[in-house]
């Protein structure tokens, strides 16, 4: 189910996934990391850096997304499912794509 | 399917004196034909009676113990290896997996894939209970009989899709930071040499400490004798200095 969600990473600069694997609430974050690293999603933007930060300090799992236009999306994965995280990222990426297209149309006009 | 008597077939009349019976023969097809030809009814009966019946096994298959086969088991992997590292496996191309396996094999590190459903019950009953939270989502196990953490970290640094989560080295569970610290430690032989050197430093000084006072006394007496001899040659006898340090 989670692998069927299409996310276009073009407006994304970098994604940092921070989690502590010995905690019990990291399953959705780890699944999110696995989905993001899928070749179909990676192929949408080869310049997007996906980093996994593995710690052992009991901290909550966090996904930190930096966009090209300076926006930042922080998702705390402790109480979110993988599908929710992917959908949230996907909708924001789509919104930014549409904005970019409209800007480029205005410029060409 | 019996051969049906066809009206278009030839009928052969029997000679007089025989009971009336019509022998009907189908039109002219031979025994071996290119089209499908129905078997003679007697032949069909013979084939049905002589059909193969498979022998039933003496013990029904459901009563036999399950056959595990030569597949690698997690229990053996945990029992026979000194170092077990758990990594998160994100999708990689097949060639990259083969290369990773090759580089790790050079250092005698084997790459194993186990399903979480199989590993979790095995771990829950063994002493590696605290590794259970790691076995969620897709994992990779790197096992080795030697604890070559430095080489493993070097290879994994070149593969961004595999993230080290934790390891169990010599029955000690380590986090990722712990593995990095372990890799920075000097080898066992070097540490043993350093410990032996530190411990033997003090005993090596004991003999010189014990001989120090008597050596000092000897030196003083020698000095005194030399002065007396010089004094006999020219000046009057000097009062001898008291021997110090002799207890």
């Amino acid at each position: 189910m989670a692998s069927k969600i299409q996310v276009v990473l073009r407006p994304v600069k970098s994604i940092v996934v921070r989690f502590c694997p010995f905690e019990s609430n990291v399953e959705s974050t780890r699944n999110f990391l696995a989905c993001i690293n899928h070749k179909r999603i990676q192929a949408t933007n080869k310049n997007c850096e996906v980093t996994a930060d593995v710690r052992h300090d009991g901290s909550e799992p966090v996904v930190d997304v930096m966009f090209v236009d300076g926006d930042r999306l922080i998702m705390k994965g402790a109480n979110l499912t993988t599908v929710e995280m992917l959908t949230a990222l996907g909708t924001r990426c789509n919104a930014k794509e549409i904005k970019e297209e409209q800007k480029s149309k205005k410029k060409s006009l | 399917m019996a051969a049906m008597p066809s009206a278009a077939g030839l009928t052969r009349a029997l000679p007089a004196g025989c009971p009336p019976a019509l022998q009907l023969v189908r039109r002219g097809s031979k025994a071996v034909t290119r089209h499908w030809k129905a078997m003679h009814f007697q032949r069909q009966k013979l084939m049905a009676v002589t059909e193969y019946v498979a022998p039933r096994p003496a013990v029904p298959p459901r009563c036999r113990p399950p056959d595990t086969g030569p597949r690698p088991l997690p229990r053996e992997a945990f029992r026979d290896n000194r170092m077990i590292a758990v990594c998160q496996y994100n999708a990689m191309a097949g060639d990259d997996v083969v290369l990773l396996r090759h580089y790790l094999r050079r250092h005698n590190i084997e790459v194993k894939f186990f399903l979480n459903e199989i590993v979790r019950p095995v771990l829950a009953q063994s002493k590696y209970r605290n590794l259970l939270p790691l076995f969620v989502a897709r994992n990779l196990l790197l096992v080795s009989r030697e604890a070559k953490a430095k080489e493993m970290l070097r290879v994994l640094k070149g593969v961004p899709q595999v993230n080290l989560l934790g390891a169990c080295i010599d029955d000690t569970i380590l986090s990722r930071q712990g593995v990095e610290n372990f890799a920075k430690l000097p080898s066992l032989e070097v540490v043993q040499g350093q410990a032996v050197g530190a411990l033997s430093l003090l005993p090596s000084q004991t003999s010189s400490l014990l001989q120090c006072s008597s050596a000092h006394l000897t030196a003083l007496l020698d000095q005194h004798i030399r002065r007396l001899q010089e004094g006999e040659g020219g000046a009057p006898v000097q009062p001898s200095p008291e021997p110090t340090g002799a207890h």
Side-chain angles (χ1 to χ4, degrees):
Chain A
M1 178 63 212
S3 56
K4 299 235 171 70
I5 298 177
Q6 264 287 68
V7 177
V8 178
L9 289 182
R10 227 165 290 130
V12 174
K13 196 162 129 189
S14 71
I15 302 179
V16 176
V17 183
R18 203 174 307 133
F19 61 93
C20 170
F22 289 93
E23 296 288 312
S24 50
N25 53 2
V26 295
E27 183 173 354
S28 55
T29 315
R30 282 182 66 180
N31 282 327
F32 176 83
L33 178 64
C35 293
I36 280 287
N37 270 309
H38 199 271
K39 59 182 176 193
R40 214 187 317 154
I41 296 182
Q42 286 282 306
T44 57
N45 185 358
K46 300 265 181 204
N47 296 327
C48 176
E49 300 157 5
V50 178
T51 328
D53 188 3
V54 178
R55 299 201 180 164
H56 188 46
D57 49 6
S59 58
E60 291 195 351
V62 169
V63 176
D64 192 349
V65 185
M66 286 289 293
F67 291 96
V68 168
D69 51 5
D71 281 352
R72 202 168 163 192
L73 170 66
I74 298 179
M75 294 192 276
K76 297 200 176 163
N79 293 317
L80 290 172
T81 62
T82 316
V83 172
E84 283 168 5
M85 289 200 269
L86 282 169
T87 331
L89 181 61
T91 45
R92 278 166 183 75
C93 288
N94 285 338
K96 288 193 191 284
E97 281 276 291
I98 291 167
K99 224 192 270 179
E100 275 293 318
E101 274 172 32
Q102 283 171 351
K103 254 192 216 171
S104 59
K105 267 188 196 164
K106 273 184 195 164
K107 274 187 189 167
S108 63
L109 283 173
Chain B
M1 288 178 293
M4 295 207 304
S6 86
L10 292 169
T11 57
R12 213 188 286 140
L14 288 172
C18 296
L22 271 176
Q23 265 189 358
L24 296 164
V25 174
R26 286 191 86 112
R27 359 169 217 166
S29 113
K30 298 198 165 97
V32 177
T33 53
R34 287 184 189 185
H35 61 270
W36 175 80
K37 189 171 153 189
M39 280 191 226
H40 197 278
F41 187 60
Q42 284 172 344
R43 189 173 173 220
Q44 279 179 37
K45 285 198 275 189
L46 193 67
M47 297 292 277
V49 163
T50 55
E51 213 172 287
Y52 174 70
V53 174
R56 282 168 67 181
V59 177
R62 67 172 192 277
C63 297
R64 228 179 279 137
D67 186 21
T68 52
R71 288 159 107 207
L73 282 177
R75 208 172 284 129
E76 272 75 29
F78 279 94
R79 197 175 52 203
D80 300 336
N81 292 296
R82 246 181 89 190
M83 175 174 88
I84 303 134
V86 183
C87 306
Q88 161 133 359
Y89 172 73
N90 302 315
M92 266 165 79
D95 297 342
D96 292 345
V97 178
V98 169
L99 265 176
L100 173 71
R101 272 200 147 113
H102 169 69
Y103 286 132
L104 287 171
R105 203 76 186 80
R106 266 203 224 158
H107 302 295
N108 284 331
I109 301 175
E110 285 178 8
V111 173
K112 293 210 186 278
F113 277 101
F114 290 125
L115 289 177
N116 292 333
E117 293 87 11
I118 299 174
V119 179
R120 289 188 79 100
V122 171
L123 284 187
Q125 289 157 13
S126 71
K127 55 185 173 172
Y128 303 102
R129 229 161 276 128
N130 291 324
L131 283 176
L132 269 175
L134 293 179
F135 287 90
V136 154
R138 205 132 180 238
N139 288 315
L140 199 65
L141 274 184
L142 304 179
V143 298
S144 165
R145 287 179 197 260
E146 305 134 30
K148 288 196 171 172
K150 207 186 284 182
E151 287 84 3
M152 182 181 75
L153 281 175
R154 206 180 300 145
V155 173
L156 288 180
K157 211 183 279 185
V159 184
Q161 292 101 333
V162 174
N163 314 117
L164 177 67
L165 302 176
C168 180
I169 302 181
D170 288 333
D171 289 343
T172 314
I173 293 181
L174 298 170
S175 65
R176 190 203 170 103
Q177 192 59 44
V179 176
E180 284 168 7
N181 293 340
F182 178 82
K184 285 184 199 152
L185 286 176
S187 74
L188 191 62
E189 289 81 14
V190 170
V191 170
Q192 281 172 346
Q194 284 176 352
V196 164
L199 286 171
S200 60
L201 181 66
L202 283 177
S204 64
Q205 291 174 345
T206 315
S207 64
S208 57
L209 273 173
L210 287 173
Q211 290 172 357
C212 172
S213 52
S214 48
H216 191 57
L217 173 64
T218 319
L220 282 172
L221 289 175
D222 277 339
Q223 187 73 15
H224 179 60
I225 292 169
R226 231 175 278 130
R227 278 205 196 151
L228 283 178
Q229 285 169 351
E230 282 166 15
E232 273 172 13
V237 174
Q238 298 277 344
S240 63
E242 288 191 19
T244 56
H247 289 290

